[in-house]
Amino acid sequence: MTQSAASGHDRILILDFGSQVTQLIARRLREGGVYCEIWPYNAAPDRRIQEFAPRGIVLSGGPASVTEGESPRAPDAVFSSGVPVLGVCYGQQTMCAQLGGQVDVSEHREFGRAFVDVTGPCRLFEDAWEPGGREQVWMSHGDRVTALPPGFRTVGTSDATPYAIIADDERRFYGVQFHPEVAHTPHGAQLLRNFARKVCECSGDWTMAGFRAEAVERIRAQVGSGKVVCGLSGGVDSSVAAVLLHEAIGDQLTCIFVDHGLLRAGEAEEVDRTFRDRFNIRLVHRDASDVFLRGLAGTTDPEAKRKTIGNLFVEIFEEEQAKIGGADFLAQGTLYPDVVESVSVSGGPSATIKSHHNVGGLPERMRMRLVEPLRELFKDEVRALGRELGLPEAIVGRHPFPGPGLAIRILGEVTRESADILRKVDRIYLEEIRTAGLYDAIWQAFAVLLPVRSVGVMGDGRTYDQVCALRAVTSTDGMTADVYPFDMGFLTRVANRIVNEVRGVNRVTYDITSKPPGTIEWE
Ligand code: XMP
């Protein structure tokens, strides 16, 4: 195995059969201090599994049916290498089918909340469930196991599933029809932890303090005496990557912060304060707001705005890195969800790789080698690492902010005046959210400036000014989102402050559209 975050740690391998929630299995295991990786079931030849040397294997759920001819199967090594196996939903079904049991299409499908009756003791249940108990779980299946393979016993049943939880203690093979990884299975995380810690006997040595020390060694080994540039945006990922790299290689790292003039109030200053003053990192701060605003003049189409900003970003980044004499490596804050390969829903062999969220195609253009020290981490782990590295909470806990910045929150043409107006509105809104103690309960909150004027009255005079919309959503990954249910008192207080304090805005609305059908941003 090549040098990676897995080296030296007990590890679990998760084979993905295409479930929407496979990543949650990994997050739950890692929260329990156990390193794990997700591989597509069909990208795991026996030899690769042996090299990875997992202490246990989890087979995920998936949309296929084992009752159909060409359904996905777990590689032979899963059952022959002598390590414990946990099959979840489809994973349980294929395990049973492959080991001599029977799976059939069920007349009684279960989707959503369900209950299992615990009928026997099982190592998975320790500190969580007792025989005789009735426990809430989350199910999502049409097929079910109808005959157990030799060696298995039933330890849990549900109304629709006689073999809801099964165990073969000798081989240490377990199967659950429900999804322990989702929050709607209240003790699911404990069950997964029991599998990793008690059944697989993983030591639970995966901590951010450990990761920090090992990542520093890996960066040094990769970079040698080379020079590294890192594009800093002020967001969580690039900030944590920069501080980690600096700890590893000091002044071999130069961070380039391209200020496009479309940041929130005070953020550019905060980047200087944090990285240059506090961490003593070599920082090039290029104020390119004129270039960006000139480039955006007259552009109203959202995609054209994105493209202009992306192209200018690459141009200016290249200029600045040429000024410092070039570099051998480009550092990026790529995260695990961006690199994990997921099985296509058809279950076919063509695994699709999610697109990388790199900045504007930089790596292709610059032909530099990449350093991606966070590519094994989930977002919550990056935050934990940031805290470990001493980054301020204002950066570590920050809401996501889109690369094109305020440009996609100013509908229509972007001008310096409109950016200034939006920054003032946004600052008041976020100030009030923080004062009310709501910042951390919200995934993302921001204001949008609309290209609409409306009539108002202030004092004795008529106004004819712009309208702004406020947006706040809850989400776990930005893929779906719910509207944050502020109380009316909060919203009217914010609206009053905005209209009274920001010249040019005389009306405020609150966006109550979920995603889907809306998107989080307006453009
Ligand atoms: P949407 O609007 O697609 O946004 O629901 C989902 C998440 O992605 C962020 N977003 C972007 N981030 N460049 C980025 O770096 C972009 O062009 C971009 N567009 C949307 C958005 O803020 C939300 O968190």
Side-chain angles (χ1 to χ4, degrees):
M1 188 170 52
T2 52
Q3 174 79 358
S4 77
S7 304
H9 293 283
D10 294 338
R11 48 196 169 266
I12 300 275
L13 175 61
I14 300 162
L15 291 182
D16 180 27
F17 288 91
S19 158
Q20 298 291 318
V21 288
T22 300
Q23 290 202 10
L24 290 180
I25 302 176
R27 290 178 56 172
R28 297 288 165 266
L29 290 172
R30 290 195 188 184
E31 281 160 15
V34 176
Y35 183 78
C36 54
E37 291 188 7
I38 302 170
W39 299 0
Y41 77 93
N42 54 358
D46 291 355
R47 183 186 45 75
R48 212 178 143 211
I49 295 178
Q50 276 144 16
E51 276 172 17
F52 186 65
R55 292 193 75 96
I57 297 173
V58 180
L59 307 176
S60 87
S65 169
V66 299
T67 62
E68 284 161 16
E70 296 284 289
S71 59
R73 291 282 192 265
D76 291 341
V78 168
F79 305 113
S80 63
S81 50
V83 301
V85 180
L86 173 65
V88 172
C89 195
Y90 181 85
Q92 181 210 34
Q93 293 163 7
T94 194
M95 177 167 76
C96 283
Q98 291 182 242
L99 297 178
Q102 177 75 28
V103 176
D104 289 307
V105 177
S106 170
E107 299 210 327
H108 187 153
R109 294 145 66 97
E110 285 177 302
F111 288 99
R113 194 149 65 115
F115 289 88
V116 290
D117 293 308
V118 180
T119 56
C122 178
R123 300 203 70 189
L124 295 181
F125 303 158
E126 282 179 31
D127 304 325
W129 295 352
E130 298 283 348
R134 189 171 168 79
E135 303 291 345
Q136 184 186 317
V137 298
W138 192 76
M139 297 265 197
S140 176
H141 67 109
D143 295 351
R144 63 179 186 179
V145 174
T146 49
L148 291 181
F152 279 84
R153 67 193 170 97
T154 308
V155 290
T157 63
S158 76
D159 290 344
T161 318
Y163 306 110
I165 313 170
I166 59 174
D168 174 340
D169 301 300
E170 194 154 314
R171 286 185 288 181
R172 298 178 297 168
F173 291 168
Y174 299 88
V176 293
Q177 182 54 71
F178 59 89
H179 287 268
E181 66 274 30
V182 304
H184 308 288
T185 299
H187 292 111
Q190 179 69 39
L191 268 54
L192 285 168
R193 187 175 315 198
N194 285 346
F195 175 71
R197 302 286 292 273
K198 298 189 193 263
V199 177
C200 304
E201 298 174 349
C202 290
S203 61
D205 59 356
W206 170 253
T207 63
M208 277 307 119
F211 177 86
R212 173 185 183 173
E214 292 158 13
V216 161
E217 289 311 311
R218 277 198 301 276
I219 292 166
R220 287 183 183 147
Q222 184 190 359
V223 169
S225 59
K227 279 167 65 179
V228 180
V229 283
C230 176
L232 208 53
S233 70
V236 182
D237 307 339
S238 64
S239 299
V240 173
V243 175
L244 180 65
L245 281 155
H246 184 251
E247 180 161 294
I249 56 169
D251 280 352
Q252 285 167 256
L253 170 74
T254 305
C255 288
I256 298 178
F257 170 50
V258 177
D259 180 358
H260 50 27
L262 299 160
L263 291 172
R264 289 185 144 151
E267 283 192 358
E269 296 75 16
E270 188 178 30
V271 167
D272 282 347
R273 227 180 11 252
T274 305
F275 296 95
R276 187 180 287 145
D277 303 344
R278 176 163 175 179
F279 284 100
N280 216 5
I281 291 176
R282 291 165 83 146
L283 174 70
V284 175
H285 176 158
R286 167 80 181 268
D287 177 357
S289 52
D290 281 346
V291 183
F292 280 88
L293 288 168
R294 230 179 299 124
L296 286 167
T299 308
T300 54
D301 176 69
E303 284 313 300
K305 286 183 192 175
R306 274 201 173 74
K307 209 167 268 173
T308 301
I309 292 172
N311 290 340
L312 284 174
F313 183 90
V314 172
E315 232 171 75
I316 291 171
F317 192 92
E318 279 183 325
E319 254 175 53
E320 291 303 323
Q321 78 105 29
K323 281 188 205 160
I324 61 165
D328 310 290
F329 293 90
L330 175 68
Q332 291 201 147
T334 313
L335 304 191
Y336 195 47
D338 302 330
V339 300
V340 65
E341 294 178 43
S342 44
V343 174
S344 64
V345 173
S346 69
S350 59
T352 46
I353 301 177
K354 289 181 190 169
S355 58
H356 290 214
H357 298 292
N358 53 36
V359 267
L362 265 180
E364 293 80 5
R365 275 277 292 259
M366 302 181 78
R367 285 191 224 99
M368 285 194 279
R369 281 169 287 167
L370 282 179
V371 192
E372 297 178 309
L374 311 180
R375 59 181 287 129
E376 283 107 351
L377 302 187
F378 287 106
K379 189 88 178 184
D380 37 3
E381 292 175 315
V382 172
R383 292 206 160 101
L385 178 61
R387 292 189 182 102
E388 179 71 38
L389 288 161
L391 268 156
E393 201 53 37
I395 291 183
V396 171
R398 180 172 282 175
H399 289 173
F401 186 72
L406 301 182
I408 57 168
R409 296 176 178 173
I410 296 168
L411 273 54
E413 188 179 2
V414 179
T415 63
R416 197 174 282 281
E417 293 70 44
S418 57
D420 285 343
I421 289 177
L422 182 55
R423 255 191 289 272
K424 288 180 189 151
V425 171
D426 190 78
R427 170 149 68 185
I428 292 171
Y429 183 35
L430 285 181
E431 242 171 50
E432 290 293 333
I433 286 176
R434 286 205 169 89
T435 306
L438 300 174
Y439 189 83
D440 293 335
I442 294 170
W443 160 268
Q444 221 174 347
F446 56 89
V448 182
L449 193 63
L450 308 187
V452 174
R453 281 170 181 257
S454 81
V455 174
V457 55
M458 278 188 97
D460 294 327
R462 175 186 190 269
T463 57
Y464 186 54
D465 283 329
Q466 270 185 283
V467 181
C468 76
L470 305 180
R471 183 122 171 95
V473 294
T474 56
S475 177
T476 49
D477 52 13
M479 303 296 288
T480 58
D482 280 325
V483 176
Y484 188 78
F486 288 124
D487 68 57
M488 259 338 242
F490 174 86
L491 286 173
T492 48
R493 189 163 63 245
V494 176
N496 271 331
R497 271 198 67 190
I498 291 171
V499 172
N500 284 321
E501 295 175 34
V502 184
R503 194 175 286 264
V505 175
N506 70 350
R507 193 174 294 270
V508 178
T509 66
Y510 187 52
D511 178 357
I512 52 169
T513 321
S514 62
K515 173 184 179 176
T519 52
I520 295 177
E521 304 288 346
W522 278 44
E523 287 196 335

